[in-house]
């Protein structure tokens, strides 16, 4: 029995050491510096630029909600975070950054962001890519706690969406 536990522990440690974050499943753009880029995801459109500042890559821009695919009643954004991922050609994440936002109205003017990326190393002679992730809950009222409860009419009072990196 003791030997089985040791073997299981070693296997789990090996598997954990081999895992990495992957964005292979997400829409992405080739990573370029000093130019304006656009990226469309399921519920958000991103307009951004990348530059080098103090040895880091800075990605700054605006995320625009795709109101045409969001529920008509969705007015407030709760538990909202955005993430940026720099990845290699196979989707393995080389660097990432995350921003968490306070509750706010869904606005066609979008949400401004600025991320700092500090990869340990960039793959020499290989393409790199940039993509985004997000997590959000949408409600009709600012005061409504975003729980998965039903309204009196039987409709959901919360819309939840998420796209992000996966552990592989």
């Amino acid at each position: 029995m003791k030997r089985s536990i040791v073997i299981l522990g070693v296997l789990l440690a090996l598997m954990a050491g081999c895992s990495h974050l992957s964005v292979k499943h997400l829409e992405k753009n080739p990573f370029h510096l000093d130019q304006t880029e656009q990226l469309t995801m399921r519920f958000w459109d991103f307009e951004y630029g990348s530059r080098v500042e103090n040895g880091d890559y800075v990605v700054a821009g605006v995320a625009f909600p795709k109101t045409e695919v969001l529920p008509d009643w969705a007015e407030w954004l709760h538990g909202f975070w955005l993430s940026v991922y720099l990845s290699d050609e196979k989707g393995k994440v080389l660097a990432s950054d995350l921003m968490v936002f306070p509750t706010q109205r869904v606005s066609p003017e979008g949400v401004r962001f600025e991320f700092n990326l500090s990869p340990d190393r960039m793959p020499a002679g290989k393409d790199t890519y940039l993509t985004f992730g997000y997590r959000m809950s949408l409600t009709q009222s600012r005061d409504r706690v975003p729980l998965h409860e039903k309204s009196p009419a039987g409709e959901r009072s919360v819309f939840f969406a998420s796209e992000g990196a996966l552990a592989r």
Side-chain angles (χ1 to χ4, degrees):
M1 177 71 174
K2 188 175 181 181
R3 182 175 180 203
S4 297
I5 293 173
V6 171
I7 291 172
L8 180 61
V10 169
L11 286 174
L12 288 174
L14 286 173
M15 287 174 38
C18 296
S19 70
H20 65 272
L21 290 178
S22 174
V23 291
K24 182 178 181 179
H25 62 289
L26 297 176
E27 294 294 324
K28 56 190 158 290
N29 281 339
F31 180 61
H32 298 292
L33 294 172
D34 303 320
Q35 64 186 48
T36 301
E37 303 277 347
Q38 295 180 343
L39 182 67
T40 296
M41 297 185 79
R42 189 163 181 199
F43 295 106
W44 290 88
D45 290 327
F46 296 86
E47 187 173 298
Y48 64 94
S50 303
R51 66 185 187 277
V52 175
E53 191 174 288
N54 298 325
D56 288 339
Y57 296 109
V58 177
V59 179
V62 181
F64 298 98
K66 294 173 72 172
T67 54
E68 69 275 9
V69 296
L70 296 176
D72 292 340
W73 51 262
E75 294 183 31
W76 288 91
L77 195 53
H78 301 269
F80 180 51
W81 61 255
L82 287 176
S83 192
V84 67
Y85 305 101
L86 182 66
S87 66
D88 66 13
E89 56 196 13
K90 294 180 182 176
K92 182 178 178 180
V93 174
L94 305 171
S96 65
D97 195 11
L98 171 77
M99 291 181 72
V100 179
F101 297 87
T103 297
Q104 59 188 282
R105 275 196 179 275
V106 175
S107 170
E109 294 174 13
V111 178
R112 295 202 167 280
F113 59 81
E114 184 170 298
F115 296 105
N116 291 296
L117 296 170
S118 302
D120 291 335
R121 62 180 181 84
M122 293 290 277
K126 295 189 179 181
D127 291 335
T128 52
Y129 297 87
L130 196 80
T131 190
F132 296 91
Y134 57 86
R135 180 180 174 98
M136 66 178 177
S137 294
L138 299 171
T139 63
Q140 185 173 11
S141 169
R142 175 184 173 80
D143 298 327
R144 184 174 213 98
V145 177
L147 298 174
H148 298 285
E149 55 193 46
K150 300 255 184 179
S151 68
E155 298 176 16
R156 283 208 174 259
S157 59
V158 172
F159 178 84
F160 175 81
S162 176
E163 287 187 273
L166 299 174
R168 299 230 169 173

